[in-house]
């Protein structure tokens, strides 16, 4: 549900492994897939193709469908609408695994469609649609989800599809661990640079580190210990990010293993005039801080810059961004 980068990649890998998949997405995406088929590739040499005739797709969840599992892969702002559409078409109790970033999607989905069985998940890697129907995983990692009897039979299926999946008794620390990494999304979007070029500049990394420190402080106040999702432990990340460029490049080789042209999806959203997920990321940090009697002014300010961007589009040099956030 939400056939885009994540839905196309995960669904495509599953179908390539023999799982029947029904893709629900927008006409503009599905038309490209109808013409070119679906191709899933990754940085480790995977390259599989599904012919257009092999794809079962539609713009709505089809009535009468009784899927064993639904994967929700819309952007956070589209969650409630997608949840209501699913509830109208699917049997009560159908398990739905959210593969979205952010923390609150399952709560939002449950509020819109309490009859479905909502489960939180986490995608650690970057996936981009390189050309219509060509979904490429550009970084590594292992999918994660909340442990639940409905998901256990799927673990070997995902494994066989090249999508290793780990179930966690409490996914929240994992979701927060991922959110800490996603705090680079607004920095990247405002920089106007590809991810790798942005991360090569200490000024941008210092902004990213400052947003993380603020989030880690809010998490500490809430008694949440974020899980390690990247190569570096969450509490060490701001230290590593703040290193001088030469040292950072040596220490963070894995973090910099990114396709040179890859950008954050928030950068794409701004460029295409779409709503961003900044409220589900920085906004979540601000809400957590407030709930525990603190402020998160840097996350609040950068979220405001992202929201203001469509009216005043510009690429922010690192020094300007640091000054704007009071970091210089
Ligand atoms: N891409 C990544 O590398 C990555 C990695 C980890 C996590 N994530 C997270 O995964 C989620 C999905 O990201 P993505 O990059 O896959 O987004 P995406 O490429 O924009 O795909 C989502 C697709 O779902 C469509 N959609 C929205 N509501 C729909 C509905 N009711 N019915 C049918 N289609 C609908 C969207 O269309 P519209 O544009 O018209 O809404 C869009 O085409 C986000 O929360 C993201 O943060 C992404």
């Amino acid at each position: 549900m939400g056939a885009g980068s994540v839905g196309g990649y995960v669904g495509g890998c599953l179908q390539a492994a023999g799982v029947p998949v029904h893709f629900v997405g927008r006409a503009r995406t599905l038309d490209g897939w109808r013409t070119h088929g679906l191709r899933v590739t990754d940085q480790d040499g995977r390259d599989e193709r599904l012919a257009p005739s092999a794809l079962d797709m539609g713009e709505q969840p089809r009535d009468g469908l009784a899927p064993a599992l639904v994967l929700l892969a819309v952007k956070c702002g589209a969650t409630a609408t997608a949840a209501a559409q699913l509830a109208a078409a699917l049997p009560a109790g159908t398990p739905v695994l959210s593969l979205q970033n952010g923390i609150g999607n399952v709560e939002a989905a449950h509020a819109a469609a309490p009859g479905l069985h909502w489960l939180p998940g986490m995608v650690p890697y970057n996936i981009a649609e390189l050309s219509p129907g060509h979904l490429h995983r550009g970084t590594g990692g292992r999918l994660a989800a909340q442990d639940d009897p409905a998901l256990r039979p799927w673990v070997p299926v995902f494994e066989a599809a090249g999508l290793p999946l780990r179930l966690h008794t409490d996914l929240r620390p994992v979701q927060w661990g991922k959110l800490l990494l996603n705090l680079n999304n607004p920095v990247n979007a405002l920089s106007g640079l590809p991810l790798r070029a942005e991360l090569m500049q200490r000024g941008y990394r210092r902004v990213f580190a400052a947003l993380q420190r603020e989030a880690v402080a809010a998490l500490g106040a809430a008694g949440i210990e974020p899980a390690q999702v990247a190569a570096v432990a969450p509490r060490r990340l701001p230290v590593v990010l703040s290193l001088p460029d030469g040292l950072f490049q040596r220490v963070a080789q894995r973090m910099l293993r990114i396709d040179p042209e890859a950008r954050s999806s928030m950068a794409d959203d701004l460029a295409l005039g779409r709503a961003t997920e900044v409220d589900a990321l920085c906004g979540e940090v601000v809400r957590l801080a407030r709930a525990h009697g603190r402020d998160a002014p840097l996350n609040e300010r950068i979220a405001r810059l992202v929201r203001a961007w469509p009216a005043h589009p510009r690429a922010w040099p690192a020094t300007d961004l640091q000054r704007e956030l009071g970091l210089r």
Side-chain angles (χ1 to χ4, degrees):
M1 181 64 181
S5 300
V6 169
Y9 181 79
V10 177
C13 290
L14 286 168
Q15 181 164 334
V19 179
V21 178
H22 176 67
F23 295 91
V24 182
R26 303 296 193 202
R28 64 171 187 278
T29 305
L30 302 185
D31 285 347
W33 298 10
R34 266 185 205 107
T35 307
H36 302 279
L38 207 51
R39 179 180 176 201
V40 285
T41 58
D42 69 20
Q43 53 169 190
D44 305 315
R46 162 179 220 147
D47 191 348
E48 285 176 288
R49 290 163 198 260
L50 299 167
S53 59
L55 300 175
D56 178 17
M57 307 187 290
E59 288 171 51
Q60 301 282 336
R62 201 172 47 225
D63 273 339
L65 213 59
L69 179 66
V70 178
L71 303 174
L72 181 66
V74 300
K75 291 271 173 69
C76 300
T79 298
T81 305
Q85 278 176 277
L86 288 170
L90 303 182
T94 301
V96 189
L97 174 62
S98 155
L99 293 179
Q100 302 158 284
N101 280 329
I103 309 293
N105 290 296
V106 159
E107 283 74 12
H110 186 267
L116 300 177
H117 183 37
W118 296 101
L119 296 160
M122 189 279 296
V123 178
Y125 30 75
N126 182 271
I127 302 160
E129 186 163 18
L130 300 185
S131 59
H134 179 186
L135 287 320
H136 178 75
R137 171 168 71 72
T139 58
R142 178 182 279 265
L143 293 174
Q146 179 75 38
D147 187 19
D148 187 275
L151 288 181
R152 284 179 210 150
W154 285 98
V155 173
V157 179
F158 274 65
E159 183 79 39
L163 300 162
L165 166 66
R166 181 175 297 155
L167 302 184
H168 296 253
T169 43
D170 181 8
L171 194 71
R172 194 134 291 218
V174 179
Q175 290 177 296
W176 276 109
K178 177 72 196 292
L179 191 144
L180 290 177
L181 303 178
N182 287 139
L183 292 179
N184 187 47
N185 294 8
V187 185
N188 177 253
L190 293 171
S191 76
L193 294 172
L195 271 167
R196 195 168 193 285
E198 176 244 312
L199 284 169
M200 297 285 259
Q201 289 193 37
R202 191 184 195 192
Y204 290 123
R205 293 197 309 275
R206 280 181 153 164
V207 176
F208 180 16
L211 296 172
Q212 285 189 335
R213 281 199 190 93
E214 204 175 71
V216 167
L219 286 164
I224 301 169
E225 187 63 38
Q228 181 168 343
V229 173
V232 182
R235 283 175 192 283
R236 282 201 58 227
L237 257 171
V239 180
V240 172
L241 288 169
S242 304
L243 291 171
D245 287 335
L247 205 52
F248 174 76
Q249 283 167 37
R250 252 178 289 148
V251 172
Q253 282 176 18
R254 225 176 98 182
M255 193 188 278
L256 290 171
R257 248 190 96 200
I258 315 171
D259 295 337
E261 294 311 313
R263 290 169 189 271
S264 72
S265 65
M266 195 175 289
D268 294 339
D269 289 339
L270 284 186
L272 295 170
R274 297 187 301 219
T276 74
E277 294 189 308
V278 76
D279 186 58
L281 303 174
C282 299
E284 200 67 59
V285 175
V286 173
R287 286 189 287 278
L288 183 75
R290 289 207 185 121
H292 294 86
R294 307 175 68 100
D295 283 329
L298 298 177
N299 278 278
E300 202 171 344
R301 263 185 248 158
I302 203 159
R304 217 179 295 139
L305 292 182
V306 170
R307 286 189 203 104
W309 195 90
H312 310 283
R314 61 171 285 205
W316 284 77
T319 42
D320 287 13
L321 193 54
Q322 286 178 286
R323 202 172 299 117
E324 183 73 17
L325 297 181
L327 296 172
R328 278 176 76 96

